[in-house]
Amino acid sequence: MSESNDVQNGDSRIKFLVIASEAPEAQLAAFFAGRRARRSNARVALLAIVEPPEFGHWATVAETMRAEAHEKAEGILREFAAEVKAQSGEDPEEIVREGVIVEELRKLIDEDPAISILVLGASTESDGPGPLVSALAKNPAYLGKRRIPVTVVPGEMTRDELRRLAG
């Protein structure tokens, strides 16, 4: 659903944007965003990004890989949507885009003015908090022209701790 449709439907609430991925910390971000959305009368948008395959001259292989990646992304979105609905009481907006994660994230934030907060989960791995969190820490302008706050949910937090914080 686009922002203009949201406004036409009388829904001008802000959106929390969560990147839906297989990373366990992303699930925590969705949990937190759902709870915050309920408490602050906001909505949640979930973004899954399918990176294009690198098989330029193998068109049928690339198409098969692309279809499988989209199917996988839609499955992840369904899982995250169930979590968000359980926490917020509302179905989130589900978005699948194909491209490079940073570029697609920038485009979406620029296109949808209702997106007001990006909620990311930080990895607990020894090699750092994850590529997106690391990039934003080094360069806050990483997300493009329209600046929005970023909430980073530590991956080692428990759901009980997040319940206390998010309400």
Side-chain angles (χ1 to χ4, degrees):
M1 181 183 291
S2 71
E3 171 58 13
S4 59
N5 287 340
D6 293 340
V7 172
Q8 288 172 359
N9 293 333
D11 196 347
S12 61
R13 296 177 295 160
I14 68 165
K15 291 180 192 175
F16 292 95
L17 177 61
V18 177
I19 307 298
S21 74
E22 293 180 304
E25 61 271 12
Q27 278 279 354
L28 281 178
F31 175 85
F32 181 79
R35 294 191 69 85
R36 287 296 303 149
R38 175 177 279 201
R39 188 157 191 197
S40 57
N41 192 32
R43 298 174 292 155
V44 176
L46 300 171
L47 173 63
I49 298 174
V50 175
E51 297 205 38
E54 304 266 337
F55 289 97
H57 60 284
W58 293 77
T60 54
V61 172
E63 279 307 311
T64 300
M65 290 177 70
R66 180 177 284 117
E68 289 171 355
H70 275 272
E71 188 175 310
K72 184 176 183 178
E74 289 167 1
I76 291 169
L77 279 176
R78 282 191 299 275
E79 183 181 330
F80 275 58
E83 176 73 76
V84 168
K85 185 169 185 173
Q87 301 309 317
S88 71
E90 289 187 46
D91 288 318
E93 179 178 359
E94 298 177 36
I95 305 161
V96 177
R97 295 234 174 153
E98 186 172 327
V100 177
I101 187 166
V102 177
E103 292 171 12
E104 294 305 318
L105 183 56
R106 277 185 200 140
K107 286 181 199 173
L108 181 60
I109 290 170
D110 285 343
E111 291 168 6
D112 189 346
I115 294 173
S116 302
I117 299 172
L118 175 61
V119 182
L120 299 173
S123 174
T124 59
E125 299 297 318
S126 60
D127 58 346
L132 198 51
V133 174
S134 295
L136 287 169
K138 291 176 188 164
N139 182 7
Y142 192 64
L143 290 178
K145 296 177 282 193
R146 194 164 79 78
R147 304 294 197 283
I148 62 171
V150 177
T151 299
V152 178
V153 179
E156 66 274 349
M157 288 190 80
T158 67
R159 288 177 181 250
D160 284 339
E161 290 171 322
L162 290 173
R163 277 186 194 94
R164 282 192 294 278
L165 287 174

